[in-house]
Amino acid sequence: GKPIRIEHVTKSYNGLEALSSTSLHIEEGEFVSLVGPSGCGKSTLLRIVAGLDTPTNGRVSIADRTVTKPETDIGIVFQSPVLLDWRSVLDNVLLQAEARRLPHDVYAARAQDLLAAAGLKGFENAYPYQLSGGMSQRVSVCRALVHNPSLLLMDEPFGALDALTRDQMMVDLQKLWLRSRPTVIFVTHSVQEAVFLSDRIIVMAPRPGRVEAVLDVPLPRSRR
Ligand code: ADP
Ligand code: ADP
């Protein structure tokens, strides 16, 4: 993983501030959860870190390089899985590798490996309509990790899942990122998820996007 520095980032939409001088430093390989009420700017912050949106003021750097355009060394998972219906599970996972023109055979092996670790062995040739919501989301996480990114951004990835599916996924997927240790920013509304997964929990204030508190969470099991 690479370290991230978010420095005095302000983002205005039509004169209204979604983020107001937000600063946050994240260590390499750290798993940080971002919690806070709806509208406090969590998704905006993720988009800016990913280079999908530009700050009105301030800057974000990843390993000392200022983010100015969409980052390539990154994986993103959204609340609802975005899979292509006409591609198999394996070919969906390989999308990010293809987009980056990485060698197919090497990444096909890696994709198989990730799918197995995510509990999807035997589903490589299935199509998205044959999968449950939880399985589709696992595929999305595999896709986000297939090119071995230094940074993984997840925006409420378990938000749409039932509690049992979510609990199982947390346990399974934790194994996935422990293998390659990307730096992770994980947006969630669930304190349970945040405590289970994080090295650190960042609590954002309702408005205007300031960091309200930083909690250092004692880890339930040794991860470091
Ligand atoms: P969260 O993810 O914490 O729910 P968001 O980052 O989605 O918060 O939104 C923060 C604030 O910025 C909200 O008031 C939202 O309405 C506003 N906002 C977000 N994106 C846009 C946009 N593209 N255009 C205008 N306002 C936006
Ligand atoms: P949504 O419409 O649900 O927000 P999109 O698939 O349109 O999701 O993705 C939003 C943006 O994020 C797009 O610009 C897309 O290129 C980018 N993106 C999606 N997944 C990844 C990924 N794994 N790595 C890098 N960029 C991604």
Side-chain angles (χ1 to χ4, degrees):
K2 292 177 180 169
I4 307 166
R5 295 178 75 87
I6 296 162
E7 289 174 299
H8 301 290
V9 167
T10 295
K11 179 68 186 179
S12 306
Y13 292 109
N14 312 316
L16 288 176
E17 286 186 348
L19 292 170
S20 177
S21 195
T22 300
S23 294
L24 189 61
H25 298 166
I26 302 175
E27 287 174 38
E28 54 180 279
E30 199 175 18
F31 192 117
V32 165
S33 288
L34 203 54
V35 303
S38 293
C40 73
K42 303 181 295 296
S43 301
T44 301
L45 192 60
L46 283 198
R47 283 201 305 277
I48 290 173
V49 170
L52 300 171
D53 207 343
T54 50
T56 310
N57 262 304
R59 69 171 211 137
V60 172
S61 58
I62 299 177
D64 289 330
R65 213 171 42 78
T66 303
V67 174
T68 54
K69 54 176 174 19
E71 279 294 310
T72 52
D73 191 14
I74 201 172
I76 306 182
V77 184
F78 299 98
Q79 179 165 0
S80 11
V82 239
L83 301 181
L84 301 179
D85 293 340
W86 61 90
R87 294 186 67 145
S88 69
V89 164
L90 182 63
D91 286 344
N92 264 287
V93 173
L94 285 170
L95 272 176
Q96 289 305 324
E98 285 172 18
R100 290 165 174 78
R101 299 176 190 282
L102 299 170
H104 185 274
D105 48 347
V106 176
Y107 284 84
R110 185 171 157 77
Q112 304 255 23
D113 212 38
L114 283 169
L115 285 167
L120 288 169
K121 206 170 175 51
F123 286 90
E124 295 85 352
N125 298 317
Y127 281 81
Y129 75 90
Q130 296 171 302
L131 306 179
S132 68
M135 291 162 89
S136 302
Q137 197 57 307
R138 287 165 193 256
V139 175
S140 303
V141 175
C142 292
R143 180 175 60 189
L145 287 170
V146 75
H147 54 293
N148 206 9
S150 296
L151 181 56
L152 178 63
L153 305 179
M154 294 185 281
D155 200 347
E156 287 191 70
F158 308 143
L161 304 177
D162 65 81
L164 285 177
T165 304
R166 187 198 59 179
D167 288 353
Q168 187 57 49
M169 264 183 83
M170 284 201 296
V171 176
D172 289 345
L173 295 183
Q174 191 175 46
K175 291 185 214 136
L176 281 189
W177 46 77
L178 284 178
R179 288 177 161 198
S180 51
R181 298 220 168 225
T183 303
V184 183
I185 307 181
F186 178 78
V187 169
T188 183
H189 278 116
S190 161
V191 172
Q192 190 202 354
E193 288 175 12
V195 169
F196 182 83
L197 294 168
S198 312
D199 296 318
R200 200 148 58 107
I201 301 176
I202 309 295
V203 184
M204 283 174 82
R207 278 209 155 272
R210 287 190 188 280
V211 171
E212 187 161 70
V214 175
L215 311 176
D216 275 296
V217 176
L219 300 171
R221 61 215 81 233
S222 171
R223 292 187 48 227
R224 288 176 188 275

